[in-house]
Amino acid sequence: MDSGEQAESNGITFASGSEMSRAMASEVARAWQLLPRINAVAPGDFAAMREVLAELIGEELDPTVRVLPPFYPDGGRNLRFGRNVFVNHGCTAVVVGGIDIGDDVMIGPNVQLISGGHSLDPATRRSVCTCAPIRIGRGVWIGAGATILQGVTVGDDAVVAAGAVVTKDVAPRTLVGGVPARQMRAL
């Protein structure tokens, strides 16, 4: 890390102009170059989508991965798909902090996976970014319009209700919902 970056317990904070900031900007620019191709894929042409996503991510995706356009990633090097993943249309993925999607995951329409953000301090809000990985366990179902924020781990076989905003880790085999999301019951 250079002088503009510091590790925090929940992720990394970095300043505008730092080495990490420059790397992130480069990755975003690369993703933006691929976005027209990603979103020109015909719905249901999962092989073509896997091909262009492999270019974005830098590795081949399992043939069971199915992603419907439009899909809005802002990077790819920190994005991982497990096997038998389904991502419905309208998903936004802010990838700077890393997003790891486990096997057998279903992601509903218009879900937002946001692994980056900004400083809470108004004096540095425009110049300091924060990021922390999102980890989605095996067998998770994320309902339509849900938002998962940076640093959150969603445990295996959990369900995130439609419209939930998940700000804290979700235990395995639980249903969470609401804003902010809270445990509704065990599964």
Side-chain angles (χ1 to χ4, degrees):
M1 280 184 257
D2 69 22
S3 61
E5 302 166 14
Q6 66 183 50
E8 292 188 341
S9 61
N10 61 348
I12 293 175
T13 298
F14 57 95
S16 185
S18 69
E19 181 180 330
M20 187 163 182
S21 176
R22 289 187 301 275
M24 180 192 73
S26 175
E27 180 65 10
V28 168
R30 192 177 73 77
W32 286 353
Q33 292 283 324
L34 290 170
L35 270 178
R37 288 181 44 213
I38 289 169
N39 291 316
V41 172
D45 189 349
F46 299 121
M49 181 62 86
R50 283 190 300 274
E51 185 177 311
V52 71
L53 288 177
E55 188 175 340
L56 176 72
I57 293 169
E59 63 183 49
E60 191 172 317
L61 278 74
D62 190 88
T64 59
V65 172
R66 298 165 314 217
V67 177
L68 285 172
F71 179 59
Y72 304 107
D74 72 347
R77 301 281 185 223
N78 293 334
L79 177 60
R80 183 196 158 279
F81 290 91
R83 292 178 290 112
N84 198 33
V85 169
F86 176 74
V87 179
N88 214 320
H89 61 86
C91 181
T92 297
V94 175
V95 184
V96 64
I99 298 173
D100 188 330
I101 302 169
D103 296 343
D104 303 314
V105 168
M106 298 185 307
I107 297 176
N110 300 313
V111 165
Q112 298 184 71
L113 305 172
I114 312 296
S115 71
H118 297 275
S119 170
L120 294 177
D121 178 2
T124 59
R125 190 166 297 145
R126 290 186 173 271
S127 62
V128 174
C129 294
T130 62
C131 63
I134 293 172
R135 294 178 182 91
I136 301 170
R138 179 192 47 76
V140 169
W141 174 23
I142 302 173
T147 300
I148 313 292
L149 296 179
Q150 63 182 329
V152 168
T153 296
V154 180
D156 292 348
D157 299 314
V159 175
V160 176
V165 177
V166 184
T167 61
K168 296 181 180 176
D169 289 352
V170 176
R173 298 192 56 82
T174 59
L175 168 65
V176 297
V179 179
R182 61 177 176 71
Q183 182 172 336
M184 299 172 82
R185 66 181 175 98
L187 299 175

